Amino acid sequence: MGCRSARSYRAHAHVTGGRDGRATVPESNLDLKLTTPTELGGGGSDGTNPEQLFAAGYSACFIGALKFVSARDKIALPKDVAVDGSVDIGQIPDGFAIEVELKISLPAMDRAEAQALIDKAHVVCSYSNATRNNIDVKLTLV
């Protein structure tokens, strides 16, 4: 397993107990209590769940992709760019599936230019590449 790039980074996490356990990251001070959402039969609100982590990770990665493309293509990116990520999980015949919506805010940017930037970022974003043709991803310019 590995990236085909000469420049790569590998993240590590240690999880015990699954959805009702604990997640730690050895290289940082991240230490999260994990809980199952109430909608999936769990206690819900006193911890973090994998879908929330996926939403945060994809949102952060997508902003990184926007920054990469804007720098590469010499496009001015608003300083207050923001992404609100949502991850839905639900049961399917053979298990569970997720879908994602990213609401992307590029204030004061021309809408056509912003949409073109979003489309290019979706091509280079590692989360987009990992999920392409696997799950539904909706990108909404707000």
Side-chain angles (χ1 to χ4, degrees), residues 1 7 18 20 26 32 47 53 69 82 86 101-102 108-109 115 142:
M1 179 176 97
R7 293 177 59 188
D20 293 305
L32 296 172
L53 295 170
V69 171
S86 298
E101 181 176 17
L102 300 181
M109 212 174 163
Q115 188 60 57
V142 295

Side-chain angles (χ1 to χ4, degrees), residues 5-139:
S5 168
R7 293 177 59 188
S8 67
Y9 163 76
R10 180 176 288 188
H12 304 275
H14 180 77
V15 176
T16 57
R19 284 185 168 273
D20 293 305
R22 182 149 232 97
T24 59
V25 174
E27 298 88 6
S28 76
N29 62 354
L30 184 68
D31 185 348
L32 296 172
K33 178 181 179 184
L34 301 174
T35 59
T36 301
T38 54
E39 296 84 349
L40 298 179
S45 64
D46 64 338
T48 304
N49 64 61
E51 292 73 34
Q52 292 166 329
L53 295 170
F54 195 90
Y58 202 156
S59 297
C61 187
F62 203 83
I63 290 175
L66 290 166
K67 288 179 177 182
F68 173 83
V69 171
S70 65
R72 179 193 70 192
D73 295 354
K74 297 177 180 31
I75 298 168
L77 186 69
K79 291 188 188 313
D80 51 353
V81 60
V83 175
D84 289 318
S86 298
V87 174
D88 293 325
I89 183 170
Q91 204 160 6
I92 59 173
D94 295 329
F96 292 87
I98 62 171
E99 57 186 42
V100 173
E101 181 176 17
L102 300 181
K103 293 182 179 178
I104 303 140
S105 174
L106 295 164
M109 212 174 163
D110 173 79
R111 284 195 71 80
E113 187 179 29
Q115 188 60 57
L117 180 62
I118 289 167
D119 294 343
K120 290 177 183 179
H122 191 45
V123 171
V124 303
C125 176
S126 59
Y127 274 67
S128 295
N129 286 325
T131 59
R132 188 167 287 113
N133 300 319
N134 292 316
I135 67 171
D136 289 334
V137 175
K138 180 179 180 184
L139 304 175

